RNA sequence: GCCGGGGUGGCGGAAUUGGUAUACGCGCAGGACUUAAAAUCCUGUGGUUGCAUAAACCUUAUGGGUCCGAGUCCCAUCUCCGGCACCA
């Protein structure tokens, strides 16, 4: 009888359907003990028309391996999947395809799901949702209202970053350093538009402090820290000579406060007008301000520009130096939104120094440096102070800084102050494809949240949804939708027409999975009318259960066992935006007592990007895209999964290699073949399978198997998938040569059925199809391998033989092999080592000293 | 400039955290099978010297240091990648 060749296409579909039907991966929390649960999550995808990318495959396989491992280890596992489908890319794609995103998104989701199933990802599909489902975004809107009620949202007419191509306002974080929009790459301009703004700055301190509890990559933590950008410093109050106004400055370097000789102020600072009004300097100042406004955009683009300023004609009085007169200058480098917008300047700063040189402003020095090579204007905290009032002669150190700050506060010259880089979060988008912001404007009652019973405020299905020329949301043109009644007084009122940014849905989706179920799903967008017709939310036909604080609390109670997320896997490109926003929402919800934890993601692992074979990014325009469907078709899903887990450490960026993929294919094929050969139909008849201890090859192989099980068991939780697979490859190599030897000698096969099953089990998380097929057809098991118990290494197993390197003076000269650690006492090893000819050659005299690390190494010192 | 992470064969990378450096895979070379090729299998593969499967020496970016022993720890330097940046 012939062995069955490895043809994954013959059985992969079968098992997909079987797992679906059997609900093999349904998540159920079996007990109340939270230490037995694992919530494993990958950052959910944006379902684009291009379908899954091999990069998606990498993250999702990563969580899948982890989830399968924990499931087999007896944990309660939550491994869900959803779709993040609101936002600009989908809307722009829809405009391009001349399709309504409401019709397009579900099609894309179907493609994604189909591809995910073909990869054998073990999701609990009953929990699936898309952020665009009204049944989901009713909650997003409900959360908005809660945040509004707790005072975290305000509407403000404010100059904002505006993308003229996307025709929408943007958050600070969405603008790249070169002044372009992070999504579309076009140049940003400034525009005044009324915006809903989130007071994320209120949480700056907590967002920073709580980072210390997180098991996240150091780089991501650093990026979050930098973004929040906390600076502790001091505010100094100044009187202006001959005027009745106060100027406050911010300084982060209190040691040099006595050195400051002049002050610069941001051109857009409100006090500027007062300072120059009616003076001979007014005209020049106004010109400068105007010029500065013009320059703003170019400045962002060029990055580097000339430091310029004009004198205001006024002087501030320096409280540090007996009210010495400090000239006040307008300067184009003073930022209105950092510190107070006003800076005390001194010689001990490169920029200040250069500015003073340029405009011939007097400078003063207060530092005696030990190292004379350090330039005056370097930010260097060494040396001793001079000309610094009570602090002259003091060494610059932490104690001095503290004393200066204390003194400043005692003398009421100023006070300690903390400044942040983090800005409030602009939450309005003037676009169609997003969650409508559930607010209503009434002439009399001002802004009012939509009543809970009227949620969701459904996005109307419309023909035209392209951005308007005025910069207003396209929703504003739909009168029937806009006009409504005030929830408070009942008078005619208007809906907010801005929508939420893409981030809204992803800020809390991980909180939704635990309580989501098939019944809560609804991908129906039309509450009335047929596609192409406008459909509006109808209060009489409300089909959604009414969300309320009570019902949330109820839902949460049911699901709280799962939370927070234990393992979160995703790309480093979300280091700031998504992760910061989600952390912020969780903290706000904690304050609302809707959650009992403060951080959403306990352990975060980054996935590295997969580049094309030519080392460039995969892109349609380069024609270098690898489609996972094609790979699966040719090599099967298991080979693709094994390859992507083996190609490099999980977080490393790496180019695709079809040759290396073939190596992975060879591995799964060899696994298939050895099981067929030994335990398959032909195998079981021709060769006796047995396990008898005593024979060296069998003992060795069992030791190797145990070592491999241990390795895989400890590697998976550490996200070290590549070394897990390497260990399994090593085992297969040994197993193959041992069985080849056995069949040559017509001996028994070196691995019993039970032990052969163990290897299949540890392979199962990586190669779910192949392992299930062998499990069910070769071993004729009834239950899925993925519900079997992870193999344990019994205590009483044979040990692998131990090789002990022998060194003379720290140089390797020979190795000795012992069969068991029981023979590893020093005397025995030493005698053995001294017998070696090679060792004798280098050991001409008796060693003065012998260093022996049991079971590790022996070193003779002469 | 500031913050973070790296630098190990021809390539991706391993190394139980101070104990045989180069596991595993790819590639390459030689061989088997084949009319031939592909596929598959076997053997070899860090460098130098060497007929050698004898032996010796060298080797984890560079230079020092600690230690019986360093890819791993310490100091300095070079360099690459990622992030931030007129931030006072």
């Amino acid at each position: 009888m012939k062995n069955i060749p490895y043809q994954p296409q013959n059985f992969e579909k079968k098992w997909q359907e079987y797992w679906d039907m059997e609900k093999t991966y349904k998540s159920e929390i079996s007990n109340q003990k939270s230490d037995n649960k694992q919530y494993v999550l990958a950052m959910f995808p944006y379902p684009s028309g291009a379908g899954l990318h091999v990069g998606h495959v990498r993250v999702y396989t990563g969580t899948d391996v982890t989830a399968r491992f924990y499931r087999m280890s007896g944990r309660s596992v939550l491994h869900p999947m959803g779709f993040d489908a609101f936002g600009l890319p989908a809307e722009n794609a829809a405009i391009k395809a001349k399709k309504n995103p409401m019709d397009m998104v579900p099609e894309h989701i179907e493609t994604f799901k189909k591809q995910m199933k073909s990869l054998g990802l073990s999701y609990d599909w009953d929990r699936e949702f898309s952020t665009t489902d009204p049944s989901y975004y009713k909650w997003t809107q409900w959360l908005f209202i809660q945040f509004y009620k707790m005072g975290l949202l305000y509407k403000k007419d404010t100059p904002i970053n505006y993308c003229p191509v996307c025709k929408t306002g943007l958050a600070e974080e969405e603008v790249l350093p070169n002044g372009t929009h992070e999504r579309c790459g076009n140049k940003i301009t400034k525009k005044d538009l009324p915006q809903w703004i989130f007071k994320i700055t209120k949480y700056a301190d907590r967002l920073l402090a709580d980072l210390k509890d997180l098991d996240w990559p150091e780089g991501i933590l650093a990026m979050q820290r930098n973004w929040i950008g906390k600076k502790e410093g001091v505010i100094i109050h100044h009187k202006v000579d001959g005027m009745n106004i106060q100027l406050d400055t911010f300084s982060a370097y209190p040691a040099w406060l006595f050195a400051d000789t002049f002050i610069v102020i941001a051109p857009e600072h409100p006090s500027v007008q007062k300072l120059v009004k009616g003076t001979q300097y007014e005209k020049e100042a106004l010109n400068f301000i105007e010029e500065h406004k013009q320059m703003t955009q170019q400045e962002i683009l060029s990055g580097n520009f000339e430091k310029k300023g004009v004198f205001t004609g006024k002087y501030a009085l320096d409280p540090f130096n007996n009210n010495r007169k400090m000239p006040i200058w307008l300067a184009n480098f003073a930022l209105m939104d950092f510190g107070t917008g006003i800076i005390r300047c001194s010689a001990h700063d490169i920029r200040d120094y250069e500015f003073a040189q340029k405009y011939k402003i007097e400078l003063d020095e207060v530092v005696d440096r030990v190292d004379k090579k350090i330039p005056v204007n370097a930010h260097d905290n060494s040396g001793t102070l001079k000309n610094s009032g009570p602090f002259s002669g003091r060494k610059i150190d932490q104690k001095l800084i503290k004393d200066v700050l204390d003194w400043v506060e005692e003398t009421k010259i100023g006070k300690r102050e903390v400044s942040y880089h983090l800005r409030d979060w602009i939450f309005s988008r003037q676009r169609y494809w997003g969650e409508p912001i559930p607010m209503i404007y009434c002439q009399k009652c001002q802004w009012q949240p939509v009543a809970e019973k009227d949620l969701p405020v459904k996005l109307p299905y419309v023909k035209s949804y392209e951005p308007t020329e005025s910069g207003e949301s396209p929703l504003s043109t739909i009168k029937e939708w806009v006009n409504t009644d005030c929830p408070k007084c009942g008078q005619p009122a208007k809906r907010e027409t801005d929508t939420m940014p893409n981030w809204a849905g992803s800020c809390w989706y991980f909180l939704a999975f635990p309580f989501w179920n098939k019944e809560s799903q609804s991908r129906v967008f039309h509450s009335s009318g047929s596609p192409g017709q406008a459909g509006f939310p109808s209060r009489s036909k409300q089909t959604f259960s009414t969300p309320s604080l009570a019902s949330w609390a109820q839902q949460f109670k049911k699901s709280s066992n799962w939370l927070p997320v234990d393992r979160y896997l995703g790309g480093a490109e979300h280091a700031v935006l998504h992760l910061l926003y989600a952390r912020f929402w969780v903290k706000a919800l904690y304050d609302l007592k809707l959650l009992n934890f403060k951080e959403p993601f306990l352990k975060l692992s980054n996935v590295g990007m997969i580049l094309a074979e030519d080392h460039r990014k995969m892109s349609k325009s380069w024609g270098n895209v690898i489609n996972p469907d094609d790979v699966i078709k040719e090599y099967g899903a298991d080979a693709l999964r094994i390859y992507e887990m083996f190609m490099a450490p999980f977080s490393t960026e790496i180019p695709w290699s079809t040759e290396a993929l073939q190596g992975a294919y060879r591995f799964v094929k060899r696994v298939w073949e050895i099981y067929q050969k030994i335990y398959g139909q032909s195998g079981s008849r021709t060769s006796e399978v047995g396990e008898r201890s005593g024979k060296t090859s069998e003992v060795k192989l069992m030791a190797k198997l145990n070592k491999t099980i241990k390795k895989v068991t400890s590697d998976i939780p550490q996200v070290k998938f590549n070394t897990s697979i390497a260990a399994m490859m090593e085992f297969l190599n040994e197993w193959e040569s041992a069985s080849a030897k056995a069949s040559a000698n017509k001996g028994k096969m070196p691995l019993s059925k039970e032990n052969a099953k163990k290897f299949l089990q540890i392979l199962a998380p990586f190669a779910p199809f192949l392992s299930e097929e062998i499990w069910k057809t070769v071993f004729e098991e009834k239950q899925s391998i993925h519900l079997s118990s992870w193999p344990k290494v019994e205590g009483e197993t044979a040990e692998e033989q131990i090789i002990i390197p022998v060194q003379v003076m720290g140089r390797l000269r020979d190795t000795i092999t012992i069969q068991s650690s029981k023979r590893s006492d020093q005397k025995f090893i030493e005698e053995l080592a001294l017998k070696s000819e090679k060792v004798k050659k280098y050991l001409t005299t008796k060693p003065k000293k012998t260093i022996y690390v049991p079971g590790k190494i022996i070193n003779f010192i002469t």
Side-chain angles (χ1 to χ4, degrees), chain A residues 809-858:
Chain A
M809 291 299 284
R811 294 190 63 114
L812 180 74
R813 294 304 174 190
D814 201 0
T815 59
I816 54 178
T817 305
I818 52 172
Q819 291 308 324
S820 149
S821 61
K822 282 166 194 151
R823 303 302 314 261
S824 65
D825 57 293
Q826 178 161 356
K827 214 175 154 198
F828 177 75
I829 298 293
E830 212 176 310
E831 276 170 21
L832 212 59
L834 286 169
K835 274 184 203 151
S836 156
E837 288 303 319
K838 287 177 190 166
V839 171
K840 277 184 197 164
K841 197 171 139 193
Y842 291 92
L843 207 59
T844 45
T845 55
K846 214 181 159 225
K848 278 184 204 147
K849 195 176 159 193
T850 305
I851 290 158
Y852 177 62
V853 184
K856 292 276 187 201
I857 200 161
I858 185 158

Side-chain angles (χ1 to χ4, degrees), chain A residues 633-651:
Chain A
K633 215 169 157 190
E634 196 168 350
Y635 300 96
D638 287 330
L640 173 60
R641 291 169 58 113
I642 294 270
Y643 165 59
E644 291 212 12
M645 293 299 96
F646 180 64
M647 66 201 307
F650 195 66
S651 61

Side-chain angles (χ1 to χ4, degrees), chain A residues 110-161:
Chain A
E110 278 320 300
T111 310
F112 266 62
K113 269 181 83 168
K114 214 181 122 203
Q115 289 181 296
M116 286 171 172
K117 287 187 178 183
S118 74
L119 279 163
L121 300 171
S122 64
Y123 298 126
D124 180 354
W125 282 110
D126 286 354
R127 295 172 188 272
E128 174 213 347
F129 57 78
S130 164
T131 54
T132 54
D133 297 344
S135 55
Y136 177 85
Y137 71 69
K138 77 173 180 196
W139 289 99
T140 313
Q141 291 173 334
W142 182 81
L143 287 166
F144 181 97
I145 292 169
Q146 307 315 308
F147 294 141
Y148 173 77
K149 285 181 180 166
M150 72 188 283
L152 281 182
L153 282 153
Y154 59 99
K155 183 134 192 182
K156 199 179 164 192
D157 215 1
T158 176
I160 54 150
N161 296 304

Side-chain angles (χ1 to χ4, degrees), chain A residues 580-608:
Chain A
L580 189 71
Y581 294 151
R583 293 181 62 225
F584 165 50
W585 277 36
V586 162
K587 287 183 192 306
L589 290 172
Y590 174 84
D591 290 350
L592 280 172
K593 298 195 166 43
L594 292 174
L595 296 176
N596 62 359
F597 53 90
K598 298 177 188 175
E599 285 290 337
F601 315 117
L602 300 180
K603 180 179 168 72
L604 175 75
S605 305
N606 285 133
V607 64

